[in-house]
Amino acid sequence: MLEFTQQIVNGLSLGAIYALIALGYTMVYGIIKLINFAHGDIMMVGALVSYFSLTLLGTNIFVAMAAAMIACAVFGVLIEKIAYRPLRNSTRIAALITAIGVSLFLEYFTIFIFGPAQKVFPASAFPIKAYALGGLSVLNKDVFVFVSAVVLMIILQYIIKWTKTGKAMRAVSLDQEAAVLMGISVDKTISITFAIGSALAAAAGVMLGIYYNTVNPLMGIIPGLKAFVAAVLGGIGIIPGAMVGGFVMGLLETMVSGYGNSLYRDAVAFGVLIFILLIKPSGIFGEDTGEKV
Amino acid sequence: MQKVNNKWLKLGIEVVVLAALFTLVQYLITAGLLKQYYQISLASMCINVTLAVSLSLINGFTGQLSLGHAGFMAVGAYIAAIMTNMLDLPFITGILAAMLGAGLAGFIIGVPTLRLKGDYLAIATLAFGEIIRVTLQNIGYVNGPAGIMGIPKFATWPWLFGGAIVTIVVIVNLINSSYGRAIISIREDETASELMGINTTKYKVLAFVVGAGFAGLAGALYAHYFYIIKPETFNFLKSFDILVMVVLGGLGSTTGAIIAAVFVTALTAALQSFPAIRMVLYALILIIVMIYRPQGLMGNKELSLRTFGRIWGGRH
């Protein structure tokens, strides 16, 4: 039982990271119906920005995280403007292929500039301490990741539920044309959505850097895919769904690694995806909508 | 201007051109005039043409975005390698088993996933492709992540060239048949074609199975040309590679897919020492083509003798 609880503790911080990435996927999908394949790579850019902020500028981890979030927010808006906006009225497949292109571009342009080597996240930025909690061992990095992720999610909920911007975002995702008629600037709202989603991804990237101690140009692919699975699991486009989905994926992954074969860790994520797509493609929180002609 | 519209004349010219191309390369290889580098490029071109044409049937003509093509290639490569390397069976048995096996995998994956549409289908096929790869990594009989080594190098030029030609002939004839018209109608409007009485599931699965089967053929050729296969070779980046060819050539154009496959392979060979630049270029090609020419190089048009006839006629 103790070991089981320990696995849950380990899974919670990983789940929080997945949830943060999943939120970006789900927000973007909710508003422009695009699977932003490049989202995991934006997370990688965030991790790299924080790495350079820590090593070159010698800042502390909070400044590094803020820098990563700001840089990626700008970056996300730029990507949307350059690559996705011209395609807003074309087929969804064209947009999806473009997103794949953006993802490959970010990965290999980073390799081209910084080389493919793994960079060790400076340990001095976040000295690891372990606390004993009634037989459980809790690392301070797990606590940090979990707490900051939850704080970010609360801020997000506040923005979406209580601010005018959030109202505009919900309106645009519900009905773009009606939103325009109500005087909402769709372009601006979409830009803000990308900014917020990318900033959350950047925060997740920094956390992933702390969690695994390394940063590399391809680090965004697998966590990105898993977070995508989390978003689909919770019901893509639904914000609380992404949070729940993220935690479920994190816990599931630590359980499989802890009790089963860790080589199947990645296959399990994809298995969950296929299962959910076949049983209930709209996800746990989604409503089934009939096909409209 | 003389129109080349005699069917038999057209076929005759095509056969002569292809036979000349085949004989030329065969002569250059046997005479030892072709450097290893060019031989490998030509072999990759044949394999990539097979892959691109088979994926173009699924993505381009049926309009079902599949991102798991490398998975079917992996199934074919492994089955063929097991047949020849471990069971000592002749190459042709390996090829046929690879095609059947990959087709079967396409059927098993296609029946449940083809109910999904658009991006959901893309993600599901990507997931299946990755599951195939992870599964291969965990099978001890095929050496897990290390893969199979020392596969006999059976895939000579006639096999490679023949494989590509058979793929093109079968798929082009399929597209030009009544089956093909049903398949294209699904791409144009799935709901409408269903209302016209077309069993959309049947045709989607058919296209998927045929496409997967020929990806298996490409896998078998790959395994017996490069004599080493690893699960890692067939990850989703490989699927994206094939996708780049199909998209660049034009979704819905076989000749486009062929031209793009040849071009991309040549580009890959030229940039061999700079893999990062190659991928950056691929990415830019994908983005720029989608923004400025979403229908690809050829759109859904085919390059044919008639096109040449028109160009020729225009000059007079």
Side-chain angles (χ1 to χ4, degrees):
Chain A
M1 192 58 215
L2 197 66
E3 197 197 330
F4 185 74
T5 323
Q6 180 72 53
Q7 296 287 2
I8 288 183
V9 170
N10 295 345
L12 278 179
S13 51
L14 191 63
I17 297 177
Y18 288 158
L20 279 183
I21 313 173
L23 281 169
Y25 272 115
T26 234
M27 284 164 66
V28 167
Y29 192 90
I31 208 154
I32 55 171
K33 301 282 173 284
L34 163 76
I35 297 174
N36 185 9
F37 253 98
H39 195 63
D41 304 297
I42 293 175
M43 181 202 80
M44 173 274 292
V45 172
L48 267 185
V49 169
S50 72
Y51 168 81
F52 285 116
S53 165
L54 289 169
T55 52
L56 294 182
L57 304 176
T59 59
N60 67 31
I61 191 78
F62 295 101
V63 177
M65 193 185 260
M69 287 175 75
I70 293 166
C72 281
V74 174
F75 203 56
V77 172
L78 279 180
I79 289 175
E80 193 271 328
K81 272 216 165 76
I82 296 168
Y84 299 152
R85 189 163 298 176
L87 286 159
R88 205 173 287 161
N89 294 319
S90 58
T91 58
R92 277 164 74 176
I93 287 191
L96 187 66
I97 292 172
T98 312
I100 293 173
V102 173
S103 161
L104 289 177
F105 179 79
L106 291 180
E107 285 156 17
Y108 288 92
F109 195 66
T110 319
I111 290 187
F112 178 58
I113 291 183
F114 301 112
Q118 230 169 40
K119 295 174 175 57
V120 178
F121 213 73
S124 58
F126 203 85
I128 303 295
K129 282 191 211 104
Y131 306 105
L133 219 98
L136 292 174
S137 150
V138 182
L139 295 177
N140 61 345
K141 66 175 180 183
D142 286 335
V143 178
F144 172 77
V145 165
F146 184 75
V147 171
S148 34
V150 169
V151 168
L152 286 171
M153 284 183 220
I154 291 171
I155 296 175
L156 177 73
Q157 274 296 344
Y158 170 77
I159 292 175
I160 288 180
K161 288 263 151 122
W162 304 101
T163 63
K164 235 176 173 169
T165 321
K167 215 174 195 174
M169 285 163 67
R170 281 182 286 148
V172 174
S173 77
L174 209 61
D175 189 332
Q176 208 153 315
E177 280 166 29
V180 174
L181 293 176
M182 295 298 126
I184 296 168
S185 163
V186 171
D187 281 353
K188 201 175 124 197
T189 312
I190 292 176
S191 289
I192 293 172
T193 309
F194 267 87
I196 296 176
S198 305
L200 292 177
V206 180
M207 292 173 192
L208 217 55
I210 296 171
Y211 194 85
Y212 288 125
N213 280 323
T214 53
V215 179
N216 76 68
L218 300 180
M219 68 182 279
I221 300 177
I222 294 294
L225 283 172
K226 284 181 187 160
F228 174 76
V229 177
V232 175
L233 180 65
I236 193 143
I238 303 163
I239 287 175
M243 299 181 189
V244 173
F247 283 113
V248 171
M249 288 305 296
L251 290 171
L252 203 63
E253 186 176 326
T254 32
M255 292 299 165
V256 171
S257 314
Y259 292 102
N261 183 347
S262 64
L263 279 172
Y264 279 108
R265 203 175 58 188
D266 297 346
V268 165
F270 294 121
V272 168
L273 175 68
I274 286 166
F275 183 74
I276 208 82
L277 284 179
L278 298 180
I279 304 299
K280 196 168 185 294
S282 52
I284 300 174
F285 292 87
E287 286 163 23
D288 287 315
T289 46
E291 192 183 344
K292 274 185 268 183
V293 180
Chain B
M1 177 184 153
Q2 276 185 320
K3 263 193 185 171
V4 190
N5 46 13
N6 186 320
K7 205 172 103 187
W8 293 105
L9 178 64
K10 202 180 136 202
L11 187 69
I13 296 176
E14 279 170 358
V15 169
V16 169
V17 169
L18 288 174
L21 183 66
F22 169 74
T23 323
L24 177 72
V25 176
Q26 179 68 19
Y27 168 73
L28 287 175
I29 291 173
T30 42
L33 291 169
L34 210 59
K35 276 193 217 151
Q36 190 73 18
Y37 170 80
Y38 292 107
Q39 287 192 27
I40 293 175
S41 298
L42 281 171
S44 308
M45 276 176 195
C46 292
I47 294 168
N48 284 339
V49 163
T50 311
L51 287 169
V53 170
S54 58
L55 185 66
S56 124
L57 174 66
I58 302 172
N59 284 7
F61 288 99
T62 325
Q64 309 297 312
L65 189 61
S66 162
L67 297 177
H69 218 52
F72 301 124
M73 189 188 173
V75 171
Y78 270 85
I79 290 180
I82 290 169
M83 289 280 171
T84 57
N85 202 31
M86 297 170 175
L87 306 175
D88 281 327
L89 290 165
F91 188 33
I92 186 72
T93 328
I95 286 186
L96 293 176
M99 291 179 72
L100 283 177
L104 184 68
F107 183 77
I108 294 169
I109 294 171
V111 168
T113 52
L114 285 168
R115 293 189 303 148
L116 303 166
K117 293 200 173 71
D119 13 5
Y120 280 117
L121 175 70
I123 294 295
T125 48
L126 187 143
F128 265 117
E130 286 298 284
I131 287 178
I132 290 176
R133 181 178 65 82
V134 175
T135 312
L136 287 173
Q137 265 172 356
N138 289 298
I139 297 178
Y141 180 64
V142 293
N143 303 331
I148 305 178
M149 268 175 276
I151 303 162
K153 200 170 172 174
F154 286 143
T156 49
W157 174 247
W159 283 106
L160 292 161
F161 194 77
I165 296 298
V166 167
T167 310
I168 296 167
V169 168
V170 170
I171 288 180
V172 166
N173 279 311
L174 177 69
I175 290 163
N176 290 333
S177 69
S178 64
Y179 285 88
R181 285 191 291 280
I183 283 172
I184 292 171
S185 80
I186 294 173
R187 175 188 71 190
E188 295 301 324
D189 191 329
E190 193 169 337
T191 319
S193 69
E194 200 164 3
L195 290 173
M196 296 304 285
I198 290 167
N199 184 347
T200 51
T201 314
K202 179 182 140 191
Y203 287 102
K204 282 197 281 185
V205 171
L206 175 84
F208 204 72
V209 168
V210 173
F214 282 103
L217 167 66
L221 294 173
Y222 180 93
H224 291 84
Y225 188 80
F226 293 102
Y227 53 81
I228 171 165
I229 46 172
K230 285 189 281 193
E232 204 45 48
T233 315
F234 307 104
N235 61 11
F236 62 91
L237 287 174
K238 182 72 196 170
S239 299
F240 287 176
D241 270 4
I242 312 166
L243 181 72
V244 172
M245 296 169 201
V246 175
V247 170
L248 182 63
L251 290 164
S253 167
T254 317
T255 37
I258 298 168
I259 295 168
V262 170
F263 170 75
V264 168
T265 318
L267 189 72
T268 308
L271 294 173
Q272 210 168 25
S273 351
F274 316 100
I277 296 185
R278 176 176 77 95
M279 293 307 289
V280 170
L281 270 180
Y282 274 15
L284 287 177
I285 287 175
L286 270 186
I287 300 170
I288 292 169
V289 167
M290 275 301 125
I291 293 179
Y292 294 105
R293 200 173 160 77
Q295 71 273 39
L297 203 64
M298 299 285 297
N300 53 14
K301 306 229 168 22
E302 298 291 352
L303 189 67
S304 66
L305 285 172
R306 190 168 294 180
T307 327
F308 287 121
R310 252 205 318 273
I311 296 167
W312 185 252
R315 280 196 191 141
H316 280 272

Coordinates of all heavy atoms in Angstrom, one line a residue, chain A residues 25-26 28-37 90-100 225 228-229 232 236-237 273-274 276-277 281, chain B residues 59 63-68 113-128 190 204 240 243:
Chain A
Y25 N -2.9 22.3 -25.9 CA -3.5 21.6 -27.1 C -5.0 21.8 -27.1 O -5.6 22.1 -28.1 CB -3.3 20.1 -26.9 CG -2.0 19.5 -27.4 CD1 -1.1 19.0 -26.6 CD2 -1.8 19.5 -28.8 CE1 0.1 18.4 -27.1 CE2 -0.6 19.0 -29.3 CZ 0.3 18.4 -28.4 OH 1.4 17.9 -28.9
T26 N -5.6 21.7 -25.9 CA -7.1 21.7 -25.9 C -7.6 23.1 -26.2 O -8.6 23.3 -26.9 CB -7.5 21.2 -24.5 OG1 -8.4 20.1 -24.7 CG2 -8.1 22.2 -23.6
V28 N -6.1 25.5 -28.0 CA -6.0 25.8 -29.4 C -7.0 25.0 -30.3 O -7.6 25.6 -31.2 CB -4.5 25.5 -29.9 CG1 -4.4 25.5 -31.4 CG2 -3.6 26.5 -29.3
Y29 N -7.2 23.7 -29.9 CA -8.2 23.0 -30.6 C -9.6 23.6 -30.5 O -10.3 23.6 -31.4 CB -8.2 21.5 -30.2 CG -9.0 20.6 -31.1 CD1 -8.3 20.0 -32.2 CD2 -10.3 20.4 -31.0 CE1 -9.1 19.3 -33.1 CE2 -11.1 19.7 -31.8 CZ -10.4 19.1 -32.9 OH -11.1 18.3 -33.8
G30 N -9.9 24.0 -29.2 CA -11.2 24.5 -29.0 C -11.5 25.7 -29.8 O -12.6 26.0 -30.2
I31 N -10.4 26.5 -30.1 CA -10.7 27.8 -30.8 C -10.5 27.7 -32.3 O -11.3 28.3 -33.0 CB -9.8 28.9 -30.1 CG1 -10.5 30.3 -30.3 CG2 -8.4 29.0 -30.7 CD1 -10.2 31.2 -29.2
I32 N -9.5 27.0 -32.8 CA -9.4 26.9 -34.3 C -9.5 25.5 -34.8 O -9.2 25.3 -36.0 CB -8.2 27.6 -34.8 CG1 -6.9 27.1 -34.2 CG2 -8.3 29.1 -34.7 CD1 -5.7 27.6 -34.9
K33 N -9.9 24.5 -34.0 CA -10.0 23.1 -34.5 C -8.8 22.6 -35.2 O -8.8 22.0 -36.2 CB -11.2 23.0 -35.4 CG -12.5 23.4 -34.8 CD -13.1 22.4 -33.9 CE -14.3 22.9 -33.2 NZ -14.1 23.8 -32.0
L34 N -7.6 22.9 -34.6 CA -6.3 22.5 -35.2 C -5.6 21.7 -34.1 O -5.4 22.2 -32.9 CB -5.5 23.7 -35.6 CG -4.1 23.4 -35.9 CD1 -3.9 22.7 -37.2 CD2 -3.3 24.7 -35.9
I35 N -5.1 20.5 -34.4 CA -4.1 19.9 -33.5 C -2.8 20.5 -33.7 O -2.2 20.3 -34.8 CB -4.1 18.3 -33.8 CG1 -5.4 17.7 -33.6 CG2 -3.1 17.7 -32.9 CD1 -5.5 16.3 -34.0
N36 N -2.4 21.3 -32.8 CA -1.1 22.0 -32.9 C 0.1 21.1 -32.6 O 0.6 21.0 -31.5 CB -1.1 23.2 -32.0 CG 0.1 24.0 -32.2 OD1 0.9 23.8 -33.1 ND2 0.3 25.0 -31.3
F37 N 0.5 20.3 -33.7 CA 1.6 19.4 -33.5 C 2.8 20.0 -32.9 O 3.6 19.3 -32.3 CB 1.9 18.7 -34.9 CG 1.4 17.4 -35.0 CD1 0.2 17.1 -35.7 CD2 2.1 16.3 -34.5 CE1 -0.2 15.8 -35.8 CE2 1.7 15.0 -34.6 CZ 0.5 14.8 -35.3
S90 N -8.6 27.1 -45.1 CA -8.4 26.0 -46.0 C -8.8 24.7 -45.2 O -9.3 24.7 -44.1 CB -6.9 25.9 -46.4 OG -6.1 25.8 -45.3
T91 N -8.5 23.5 -45.8 CA -9.0 22.3 -45.2 C -8.2 22.0 -43.9 O -7.1 22.5 -43.7 CB -8.7 21.1 -46.2 OG1 -7.3 21.1 -46.5 CG2 -9.5 21.3 -47.5
R92 N -8.8 21.2 -43.1 CA -8.2 20.9 -41.8 C -6.9 20.0 -42.0 O -6.0 20.1 -41.3 CB -9.2 20.2 -40.9 CG -10.0 21.2 -40.2 CD -11.2 20.6 -39.6 NE -10.9 19.8 -38.4 CZ -11.8 19.2 -37.7 NH1 -13.1 19.3 -38.0 NH2 -11.5 18.5 -36.6
I93 N -7.0 19.2 -43.1 CA -5.8 18.4 -43.4 C -4.6 19.3 -43.7 O -3.5 19.1 -43.3 CB -6.1 17.4 -44.5 CG1 -7.0 16.3 -43.9 CG2 -4.8 16.8 -45.0 CD1 -7.2 15.1 -44.7
A94 N -4.8 20.3 -44.5 CA -3.8 21.3 -44.9 C -3.2 21.9 -43.6 O -2.0 22.0 -43.5 CB -4.3 22.3 -45.8
A95 N -4.1 22.3 -42.7 CA -3.6 22.9 -41.5 C -2.8 21.9 -40.6 O -1.7 22.3 -40.0 CB -4.8 23.5 -40.7
L96 N -3.3 20.7 -40.6 CA -2.6 19.7 -39.8 C -1.2 19.4 -40.4 O -0.2 19.3 -39.6 CB -3.4 18.4 -39.8 CG -2.9 17.3 -38.9 CD1 -3.0 17.7 -37.5 CD2 -3.7 16.0 -39.1
I97 N -1.1 19.3 -41.7 CA 0.2 19.1 -42.3 C 1.2 20.2 -42.0 O 2.3 20.1 -41.7 CB 0.1 18.8 -43.8 CG1 -0.7 17.5 -44.1 CG2 1.4 18.8 -44.5 CD1 -1.1 17.3 -45.5
T98 N 0.6 21.5 -42.1 CA 1.4 22.6 -41.7 C 2.0 22.5 -40.3 O 3.1 22.8 -40.0 CB 0.6 23.9 -41.9 OG1 0.0 23.9 -43.1 CG2 1.5 25.1 -41.8
A99 N 1.1 22.1 -39.4 CA 1.5 22.0 -38.0 C 2.6 21.0 -37.9 O 3.6 21.2 -37.1 CB 0.3 21.6 -37.1
I100 N 2.5 19.9 -38.6 CA 3.6 18.9 -38.6 C 4.9 19.5 -39.1 O 6.0 19.3 -38.6 CB 3.3 17.6 -39.5 CG1 2.1 16.9 -38.9 CG2 4.5 16.7 -39.7 CD1 1.6 15.8 -39.7
L225 N 3.2 14.2 -27.4 CA 2.2 13.2 -27.9 C 1.4 12.7 -26.7 O 0.1 12.5 -26.8 CB 2.9 12.0 -28.6 CG 3.4 12.3 -30.0 CD1 4.2 11.1 -30.5 CD2 2.2 12.5 -30.9
F228 N -1.1 15.2 -25.7 CA -2.1 15.2 -26.6 C -3.2 14.1 -26.3 O -4.4 14.3 -26.3 CB -1.6 15.0 -28.1 CG -2.7 14.9 -29.1 CD1 -3.5 16.0 -29.4 CD2 -3.1 13.6 -29.5 CE1 -4.5 15.8 -30.3 CE2 -4.2 13.5 -30.4 CZ -4.9 14.6 -30.8
V229 N -2.6 12.9 -26.0 CA -3.5 11.8 -25.6 C -4.3 12.2 -24.4 O -5.5 12.0 -24.3 CB -2.7 10.5 -25.2 CG1 -3.6 9.4 -24.8 CG2 -1.9 10.1 -26.5
V232 N -7.1 14.4 -25.5 CA -8.2 13.6 -26.1 C -9.0 12.8 -25.1 O -10.2 12.7 -25.1 CB -7.6 12.7 -27.2 CG1 -8.7 11.8 -27.8 CG2 -7.0 13.5 -28.3
I236 N -11.2 16.7 -26.1 CA -10.4 17.8 -26.6 C -11.3 19.1 -26.8 O -12.4 19.0 -27.2 CB -9.7 17.4 -27.9 CG1 -8.6 18.4 -28.3 CG2 -10.7 17.2 -29.1 CD1 -7.4 17.8 -28.9
G237 N -10.7 20.2 -26.4 CA -11.5 21.4 -26.4 C -12.1 21.8 -25.0 O -12.6 22.9 -24.8
L273 N -5.0 6.0 -26.2 CA -5.5 6.9 -27.2 C -6.4 6.2 -28.1 O -7.6 6.6 -28.4 CB -4.3 7.5 -28.0 CG -4.8 8.4 -29.2 CD1 -5.5 9.6 -28.7 CD2 -3.6 8.7 -30.0
I274 N -6.0 5.0 -28.6 CA -6.8 4.3 -29.5 C -8.1 3.8 -28.9 O -9.1 3.9 -29.4 CB -5.9 3.1 -30.1 CG1 -4.9 3.7 -31.1 CG2 -6.8 2.1 -30.8 CD1 -3.9 2.8 -31.5
I276 N -9.7 5.1 -26.4 CA -10.6 6.2 -26.2 C -11.2 6.7 -27.6 O -12.4 7.0 -27.7 CB -10.0 7.4 -25.4 CG1 -11.0 8.2 -24.6 CG2 -9.3 8.4 -26.3 CD1 -11.4 7.6 -23.4
L277 N -10.4 6.7 -28.6 CA -10.9 7.1 -29.9 C -12.0 6.1 -30.4 O -12.9 6.5 -31.1 CB -9.8 7.2 -30.9 CG -8.8 8.4 -30.8 CD1 -7.8 8.4 -31.9 CD2 -9.6 9.7 -31.0
P281 N -14.8 8.9 -28.9 CA -13.8 9.9 -29.4 C -14.0 11.3 -28.8 O -13.1 12.1 -28.8 CB -14.2 9.9 -30.9 CG -15.0 8.7 -31.2 CD -15.6 8.3 -29.9
Chain B
N59 N -3.9 8.8 -48.8 CA -4.0 10.2 -48.4 C -4.5 11.0 -49.6 O -5.3 11.9 -49.3 CB -2.6 10.7 -48.0 CG -2.2 10.3 -46.6 OD1 -2.9 9.4 -46.0 ND2 -1.1 10.8 -46.1
G63 N -8.4 10.4 -49.5 CA -8.6 11.6 -48.6 C -8.5 11.2 -47.1 O -9.0 12.0 -46.3
Q64 N -8.0 10.1 -46.8 CA -7.9 9.7 -45.4 C -6.5 9.9 -44.9 O -5.6 9.1 -45.3 CB -8.3 8.2 -45.2 CG -9.6 7.9 -45.8 CD -10.8 8.6 -45.2 OE1 -10.9 8.7 -44.0 NE2 -11.6 9.2 -46.0
L65 N -6.2 10.9 -44.1 CA -4.9 11.2 -43.7 C -4.3 10.1 -42.8 O -4.8 10.0 -41.6 CB -4.8 12.6 -43.0 CG -3.4 13.1 -42.8 CD1 -2.7 13.2 -44.1 CD2 -3.5 14.4 -42.0
S66 N -3.4 9.4 -43.3 CA -2.7 8.3 -42.5 C -1.3 8.7 -42.2 O -0.6 9.2 -43.0 CB -2.7 7.0 -43.3 OG -1.8 6.1 -42.7
L67 N -0.9 8.6 -40.9 CA 0.4 9.0 -40.5 C 1.1 7.8 -39.9 O 2.1 7.9 -39.2 CB 0.4 10.1 -39.4 CG -0.2 11.4 -39.8 CD1 -0.2 12.3 -38.6 CD2 0.6 12.0 -40.9
G68 N 0.7 6.6 -40.4 CA 1.3 5.4 -39.8 C 1.9 4.5 -40.9 O 2.1 3.3 -40.7
T113 N -10.2 2.0 -37.2 CA -9.8 3.4 -37.2 C -10.5 4.2 -38.3 O -10.7 5.4 -38.2 CB -8.3 3.6 -37.3 OG1 -7.9 2.9 -38.4 CG2 -7.6 3.2 -36.1
L114 N -10.8 3.6 -39.4 CA -11.4 4.3 -40.5 C -12.8 4.9 -40.3 O -13.3 5.6 -41.1 CB -11.3 3.5 -41.8 CG -9.9 3.4 -42.4 CD1 -9.9 2.4 -43.5 CD2 -9.4 4.7 -43.0
R115 N -13.3 4.5 -39.1 CA -14.6 5.2 -38.7 C -14.3 6.6 -38.3 O -15.2 7.4 -38.3 CB -15.2 4.4 -37.5 CG -15.7 3.0 -37.9 CD -16.5 2.5 -36.7 NE -15.6 2.5 -35.5 CZ -16.1 2.6 -34.3 NH1 -17.4 2.8 -34.1 NH2 -15.3 2.6 -33.2
L116 N -13.1 6.9 -37.9 CA -12.7 8.2 -37.5 C -12.5 9.1 -38.7 O -12.2 8.6 -39.8 CB -11.5 8.1 -36.6 CG -11.6 7.2 -35.4 CD1 -10.2 7.0 -34.8 CD2 -12.5 7.9 -34.3
K117 N -12.5 10.4 -38.4 CA -12.4 11.3 -39.6 C -11.2 12.3 -39.3 O -10.9 12.6 -38.2 CB -13.6 12.1 -39.8 CG -14.7 11.2 -40.3 CD -15.8 11.9 -41.0 CE -16.8 11.0 -41.6 NZ -17.6 10.3 -40.6
G118 N -10.6 12.8 -40.4 CA -9.7 13.9 -40.4 C -8.6 13.7 -39.4 O -7.8 12.7 -39.4
D119 N -8.5 14.7 -38.4 CA -7.3 14.7 -37.5 C -7.3 13.5 -36.6 O -6.3 13.0 -36.2 CB -7.2 16.0 -36.8 CG -8.4 16.9 -36.9 OD1 -9.4 16.4 -37.5 OD2 -8.3 18.0 -36.4
Y120 N -8.6 13.1 -36.2 CA -8.6 11.9 -35.3 C -8.0 10.7 -35.9 O -7.3 9.9 -35.3 CB -10.1 11.6 -34.9 CG -10.6 12.5 -33.8 CD1 -11.6 13.4 -34.0 CD2 -10.0 12.5 -32.5 CE1 -12.1 14.2 -33.0 CE2 -10.5 13.3 -31.5 CZ -11.5 14.1 -31.7 OH -12.0 14.9 -30.7
L121 N -8.3 10.5 -37.2 CA -7.8 9.4 -38.0 C -6.3 9.5 -38.0 O -5.5 8.5 -37.8 CB -8.4 9.3 -39.4 CG -7.8 8.2 -40.2 CD1 -8.2 6.8 -39.8 CD2 -8.2 8.4 -41.7
A122 N -5.8 10.7 -38.3 CA -4.4 10.9 -38.4 C -3.7 10.5 -37.1 O -2.7 9.8 -37.2 CB -4.1 12.4 -38.7
I123 N -4.2 10.9 -36.0 CA -3.6 10.6 -34.7 C -3.7 9.1 -34.4 O -2.7 8.5 -34.0 CB -4.3 11.4 -33.6 CG1 -4.0 12.9 -33.8 CG2 -3.8 11.0 -32.3 CD1 -2.6 13.3 -33.7
A124 N -4.8 8.5 -34.7 CA -5.0 7.1 -34.5 C -4.0 6.3 -35.3 O -3.3 5.3 -34.8 CB -6.4 6.6 -34.8
T125 N -3.8 6.6 -36.6 CA -2.8 5.9 -37.4 C -1.4 6.1 -36.9 O -0.6 5.2 -36.9 CB -3.0 6.3 -38.9 OG1 -3.0 7.7 -39.0 CG2 -4.2 5.7 -39.5
L126 N -1.1 7.3 -36.5 CA 0.2 7.6 -35.9 C 0.4 6.7 -34.7 O 1.5 6.1 -34.5 CB 0.3 9.1 -35.5 CG 1.6 9.6 -35.1 CD1 1.9 11.0 -35.6 CD2 1.8 9.6 -33.6
A127 N -0.6 6.6 -33.8 CA -0.5 5.8 -32.6 C -0.3 4.3 -33.0 O 0.6 3.7 -32.4 CB -1.7 6.0 -31.8
F128 N -1.0 3.8 -34.0 CA -0.8 2.4 -34.4 C 0.6 2.2 -34.9 O 1.2 1.2 -34.6 CB -1.9 2.0 -35.4 CG -3.1 1.4 -34.8 CD1 -4.3 2.0 -34.9 CD2 -2.9 0.2 -34.1 CE1 -5.4 1.4 -34.3 CE2 -4.0 -0.4 -33.5 CZ -5.3 0.2 -33.6
E190 N -17.7 12.7 -48.5 CA -18.0 11.3 -47.9 C -19.5 11.1 -47.7 O -20.0 10.1 -48.1 CB -17.2 11.1 -46.6 CG -17.3 9.7 -46.2 CD -16.4 9.4 -45.0 OE1 -15.4 10.1 -44.8 OE2 -16.6 8.4 -44.4
K204 N -12.9 2.6 -48.3 CA -11.8 3.1 -47.5 C -10.9 2.0 -47.0 O -9.7 2.1 -47.1 CB -12.4 3.9 -46.3 CG -13.0 5.3 -46.6 CD -13.1 6.1 -45.4 CE -14.3 5.8 -44.6 NZ -14.5 6.7 -43.5
F240 N 6.4 10.7 -41.8 CA 6.4 12.1 -42.2 C 7.2 12.2 -43.5 O 6.8 13.0 -44.4 CB 7.0 13.0 -41.1 CG 6.1 13.2 -39.9 CD1 6.4 13.9 -38.8 CD2 4.8 12.6 -39.9 CE1 5.6 14.0 -37.7 CE2 4.0 12.7 -38.8 CZ 4.4 13.5 -37.7
L243 N 5.0 11.3 -46.2 CA 4.0 12.3 -46.3 C 4.5 13.5 -47.1 O 3.7 14.0 -47.9 CB 3.5 12.7 -44.9 CG 2.4 13.7 -44.9 CD1 1.1 13.1 -45.3 CD2 2.2 14.3 -43.5

